[in-house]
């Protein structure tokens, strides 16, 4: 309910009388009741509060205005936020100069850009930020906490926007923690036995950004493009889960766009890599247990130094909880030899059996725990990584479905045509979602993921890439090239603003949006225009 003085946010649960009152002048947030809402207020439905942010014109309230139901996790509704509105506390912009108005418009367009990227999910009754295993190993006090308090901060993308709500525990239930990534759910049937199969990818908001602007780690050990992917099976009350992670190679390196198709990666020479590297794996071990690194980068050319440095640092760290395997994906699978991925799967099989998976029976008793995770990476942690993760997830799923009695002894998942199609398409959709969020286009190699039976047992005969798949890869590569070089700076700034890495200072005299460009920026375009004009004149006056 909007009035000139206040925003009133009314809870619509059955029997709820609570109303959140936000003062548009003092920005104070208090609790009140329905009868305090003035009848003259302009009323509209919203589905959640994303939070508040300060821009040049003052404070703005961001709300969810449209949602789409994805499905249900254990009877809890899961929603995708599909549209948002950014509401100004200020009733007029007359206090701003023309330059401030223009700056405010740019900052608003940045927020709109982040909100337009597909993949924001929320639930008002279920904690989407934690894996089944983390949720099963919690204290009674944890269960009593609000969703905002107990959420894993790595995966709450509106954590910065909700910082004022977080400071007031009595209004926590009005705050909606939102995760970014990918969720798909399917009700499946094999041998007449129905089960739910889910895939959840949670993108970390620490060191978040776009492809070439954010690589490696920061001083806290947070890796770029870090994604936790959980595959869940729910059958007759029993729940099984298998978790994997992906993230940029965890030391200090960069790959800034410079108009080349693939800029050369630069490893920083001025910092101590081991500090951040150690912090990264210390936090991974606390969160997930043992670590099996699966490094898929090329072992020649510009990617070679990264592979060598990674291997050297794992050896130097000498931590028995961290193991390392390098597999040159492009070399091994060159000329469409996808069957060679089985070499990697076989190499990791013993480790995967040792890590196991999380399983809780219908009585709520924990049967097995997952003792470690596979941390896969390539350069972008997108296309190659997704293919390998889908293979490892399939192998775990095979074991889970056999243990739950869905698959008979000797039966294999790839023989189940209907489920096979669901599985492959879901993993390809996951690849596309992660790629659009990081690189700005859909994933490459998804024709392979969609078409090929990913067990690798029968890849020799069917592991062909389609012509259309190759054309789409070329098109996506072209779009990536353009975006990485010409529009990703804006995308990176937008993400930094949204996540609070950059805060707008209302009284700051010099805006970072107005940087005076010197003569060097103008020289090249002027020379190009003159040269092009001379060329045209020579052609026209050739005689």
């Amino acid at each position: 309910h909007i009035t000139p003085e206040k925003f009133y946010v009314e809870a619509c649960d059955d029997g709820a009388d609570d109303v959140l009152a936000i003062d548009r002048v003092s920005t104070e947030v208090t609790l009140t009741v329905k009868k305090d809402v003035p009848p003259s207020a302009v009323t509209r439905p919203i589905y959640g509060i994303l939070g508040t942010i300060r821009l040049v014109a003052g404070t703005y309230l961001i709300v969810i205005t449209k949602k789409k139901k994805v499905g249900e996790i254990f009877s809890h509704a899961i929603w995708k936020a599909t549209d948002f509105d950014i509401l100004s506390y200020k009733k007029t912009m007359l206090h701003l100069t023309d330059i401030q108005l223009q700056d405010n418009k740019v900052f608003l367009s940045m927020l709109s850009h982040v909100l337009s990227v597909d993949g924001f999910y929320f639930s008002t009754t279920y904690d989407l930020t934690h894996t089944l295993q983390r949720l099963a190993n919690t204290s009674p006090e944890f269960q009593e906490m609000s969703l905002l308090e107990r959420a894993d901060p790595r995966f709450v993308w509106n954590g910065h926007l909700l910082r004022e709500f977080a400071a007031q525990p009595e209004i926590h239930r009005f705050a909606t923690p939102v995760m970014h990534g990918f969720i798909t759910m399917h009700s499946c049937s094999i041998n007449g036995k129905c089960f739910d199969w889910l895939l959840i990818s949670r993108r970390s908001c620490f060191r978040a950004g776009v492809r070439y602007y954010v690589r490696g780690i920061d001083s806290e050990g947070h890796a770029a493009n870090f994604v936790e992917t959980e595959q869940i099976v729910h059958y007759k009350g029993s729940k099984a889960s298998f978790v994997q992670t992906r993230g940029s190679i965890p030391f200090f390196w960069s790959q800034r766009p410079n108009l080349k198709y693939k800029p050369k990666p630069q490893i920083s020479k001025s910092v101590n890599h081991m500090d951040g590297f150690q912090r990264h794996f210390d936090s991974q071990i606390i969160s997930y247990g043992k670590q099996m690194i699966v490094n898929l980068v090329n072992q020649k050319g510009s990617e070679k130094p990264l592979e060598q440095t990674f291997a050297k640092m794992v050896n130097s760290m000498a931590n028995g909880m961290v193991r390392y395997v390098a597999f040159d994906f492009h070399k091994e699978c060159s000329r469409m030899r996808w069957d060679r991925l089985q070499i990697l799967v076989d190499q990791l099989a013993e480790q995967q059996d040792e890590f196991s998976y999380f399983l809780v029976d219908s009585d709520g008793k924990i049967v097995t725990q997952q003792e470690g995770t596979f941390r896969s990476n390539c350069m972008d942690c997108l296309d190659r990584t997704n293919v390998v993760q889908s293979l490892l997830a399939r192998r775990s799923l095979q074991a889970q479905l056999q243990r739950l009695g869905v698959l008979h002894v000797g039966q294999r998942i790839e023989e189940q045509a209907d489920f096979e199609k669901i599985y492959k398409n879901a993993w390809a959709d996951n690849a596309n979602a992660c790629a659009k969020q990081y690189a700005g286009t859909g994933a490459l190699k998804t024709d392979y993921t969609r078409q090929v039976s990913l067990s690798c047992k029968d890849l020799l005969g069917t592991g062909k890439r389609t012509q259309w798949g190759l054309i789409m890869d070329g098109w996506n590569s072209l779009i990536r090239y353009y975006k990485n070089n010409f529009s990703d700076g804006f995308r990176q700034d937008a993400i930094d603003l949204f996540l609070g890495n950059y805060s707008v200072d209302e009284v700051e005299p010099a805006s970072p949006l107005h940087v005076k460009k010197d003569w060097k920026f103008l020289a090249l375009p002027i020379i190009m225009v003159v040269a092009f004009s001379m060329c045209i004149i020579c052609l026209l006056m050739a005689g």
Side-chain angles (χ1 to χ4, degrees):
H1 307 284
I2 302 171
T3 71
E5 296 77 33
K6 290 185 179 181
F7 295 126
Y8 295 93
V9 182
E10 178 192 332
C12 296
D13 309 55
D14 293 336
D17 194 42
D18 285 340
V19 170
L20 194 69
I22 302 171
D23 193 299
R24 295 177 69 174
V25 179
S26 69
T27 72
E28 189 188 4
V29 183
T30 53
L31 276 178
T32 181
V33 289
K34 286 181 188 175
K35 64 176 172 40
D36 291 342
V37 179
S40 60
V42 177
T43 299
R44 56 185 288 196
I46 62 166
Y47 300 107
I49 297 174
L50 208 66
T52 60
I53 191 166
R54 292 185 78 79
L55 301 180
V56 181
T59 308
Y60 285 81
L61 177 73
I62 307 176
V63 293
I64 301 167
T65 55
K66 283 183 189 170
K67 64 177 183 176
K68 179 181 163 194
K69 190 169 182 180
V70 181
E72 292 189 359
I73 297 181
F74 321 127
S75 304
H76 297 279
I78 308 301
W79 305 93
K80 179 194 265 193
T82 55
D83 207 2
F84 305 85
D85 207 353
I86 305 169
L87 308 169
S88 175
Y89 282 36
K90 293 275 196 294
K91 297 180 279 293
T92 172
M93 298 288 166
L94 294 174
H95 61 294
L96 301 179
T97 65
D98 286 347
I99 290 172
Q100 286 176 320
L101 269 172
Q102 190 57 38
D103 286 356
N104 199 64
K105 208 170 169 182
V106 173
F107 286 129
L108 281 171
S109 70
M110 285 181 179
L111 291 179
S112 298
H113 175 80
V114 174
L115 296 170
S116 70
V117 177
D118 196 35
F120 288 102
Y121 298 89
F122 69 97
S123 172
T124 53
T125 56
Y126 186 78
D127 188 348
L128 279 174
T129 65
H130 287 290
T131 62
L132 289 191
Q133 183 159 316
R134 285 202 294 270
L135 290 173
N137 292 300
T138 53
S139 62
E141 294 79 42
F142 179 87
Q143 303 290 342
E144 294 300 311
M145 289 180 186
S146 67
L147 286 177
L148 180 60
E149 274 179 295
R150 60 188 263 181
D152 188 329
R154 294 178 299 166
F155 306 122
V156 181
W157 269 64
N158 56 336
H160 168 70
L161 303 178
L162 290 174
R163 67 204 178 286
E164 288 175 15
F165 283 73
Q168 294 177 254
E170 71 276 10
I171 61 170
H172 276 186
R173 60 190 183 280
F174 279 92
T176 310
V178 172
M179 65 154 264
H180 196 215
F182 177 74
I183 300 179
T184 187
M185 309 178 187
H186 296 277
S187 292
C188 309
S189 176
I190 293 177
N191 296 326
K193 294 168 184 174
C194 295
F195 61 94
D196 291 327
W197 180 77
L198 297 80
L199 193 61
I200 303 175
S201 279
R202 306 173 178 98
R203 289 190 76 213
S204 173
C205 60
F206 298 144
R207 195 153 175 76
V210 295
R211 192 185 183 201
Y212 284 144
Y213 281 89
V214 180
R215 295 293 210 196
I217 54 168
D218 60 19
S219 57
E220 298 294 309
H222 301 304
N225 198 23
F226 183 86
V227 183
E228 173 189 271
T229 301
E230 181 178 22
Q231 178 178 264
I232 298 171
V233 175
H234 183 214
Y235 175 64
K236 285 188 175 175
S238 294
K239 301 165 196 167
S241 147
F242 180 66
V243 176
Q244 301 178 76
T245 61
R246 66 175 81 181
S248 192
I249 295 172
F251 46 81
F252 299 96
W253 63 284
S254 60
Q255 195 180 14
R256 281 304 173 105
N258 59 4
L259 294 184
K260 289 184 178 174
Y261 179 68
K262 269 193 180 174
K264 192 178 177 183
Q266 305 287 335
I267 299 171
S268 176
K269 292 180 172 67
S270 58
V271 292
N272 179 1
H273 293 280
M274 192 48 87
D275 283 353
F277 190 80
Q278 189 91 45
R279 279 185 183 179
H280 176 74
F281 281 105
D282 285 349
S283 70
Q284 294 302 291
I285 290 164
I286 290 166
S287 298
Y288 304 107
K290 292 175 185 169
Q291 294 291 294
M292 184 73 201
I293 299 160
V294 184
N295 189 359
L296 304 168
V297 301
N298 298 347
Q299 290 170 27
K300 63 177 185 182
S302 63
E303 297 180 14
K304 183 180 178 180
L306 294 172
E307 193 281 316
Q308 288 175 327
T309 307
F310 202 173
K312 199 164 105 188
M313 291 187 72
V314 173
N315 286 333
S316 302
M317 189 168 65
N319 186 334
M321 298 284 279
V322 181
R323 295 187 208 168
Y324 178 89
V325 164
F327 182 83
D328 188 333
F329 188 104
H330 286 150
K331 181 189 165 201
E332 295 291 343
C333 302
S334 61
R335 298 196 295 279
M336 313 298 175
R337 293 179 301 170
W338 303 107
D339 55 290
R340 295 184 63 79
L341 284 167
Q342 188 62 37
I343 296 168
L344 178 61
V345 176
D346 291 343
Q347 196 176 349
L348 299 174
E350 190 182 334
Q351 190 71 63
Q352 188 170 4
D353 294 339
E354 184 193 317
F355 286 170
S356 189
Y357 47 82
F358 176 73
L359 178 63
V360 59
D361 66 18
S362 51
D363 300 324
K365 182 170 159 271
I366 295 172
V367 182
T368 61
Q369 301 249 29
Q370 188 172 336
E371 305 290 341
T373 55
F374 290 97
R375 186 204 185 279
S376 307
N377 73 269
C378 45
M379 288 296 283
D380 300 324
C381 307
L382 296 175
D383 315 317
R384 291 173 274 186
T385 297
N386 198 76
V387 169
V388 169
Q389 282 197 339
S390 66
L391 296 173
L392 295 172
R394 165 185 289 273
R395 192 173 178 277
S396 181
L397 186 62
Q398 175 79 34
Q400 290 167 5
L401 293 180
Q402 278 181 336
R403 187 160 188 169
L404 293 169
V406 174
L407 284 175
H408 303 320
V409 179
Q411 264 191 324
R412 298 200 62 79
I413 289 174
E414 57 265 34
E415 296 160 5
Q416 318 305 317
D418 291 344
F419 179 73
E420 178 77 347
K421 191 176 176 186
I422 290 169
Y423 182 88
K424 288 182 292 196
N425 281 327
W427 272 98
D429 292 340
N430 178 61
N432 269 332
C434 291
K436 278 177 185 161
Q437 290 156 12
Y438 186 56
T441 72
L444 313 181
K445 304 178 181 68
T446 52
D447 61 314
Y448 163 75
T449 314
R450 289 186 199 280
Q451 292 215 348
V452 171
S453 175
L454 286 175
S455 70
C456 295
K457 291 289 180 193
D458 60 344
L459 277 176
L460 277 163
T462 59
K464 299 186 183 80
R465 299 204 59 194
T466 61
Q467 269 187 315
W468 178 247
L470 290 167
I471 291 166
M472 284 308 295
D473 275 8
W475 175 250
N476 278 332
S477 295
L478 194 66
I479 299 293
R480 273 189 197 181
Y481 174 79
Y482 174 80
K483 287 193 172 183
N484 296 161
N485 282 286
F486 303 110
S487 65
D488 273 1
F490 179 84
R491 288 175 64 217
Q492 184 62 50
D493 291 344
I495 291 166
D496 284 334
L497 176 68
F498 187 85
L499 295 175
N501 301 330
Y502 171 79
S503 296
V504 175
D505 188 345
E506 291 173 61
V507 293
E508 186 182 10
S511 164
L513 301 176
H514 303 285
V515 180
K516 281 201 169 98
K517 292 190 165 90
D518 63 12
W519 64 270
K520 282 183 286 188
F521 283 90
L522 296 168
L524 186 66
I526 290 169
I527 291 166
M528 291 295 287
V529 168
V530 171
F532 184 70
S533 305
M534 294 303 285
C535 181
I536 296 295
I537 290 166
C538 287
L539 286 171
L540 292 174
M541 304 176 71

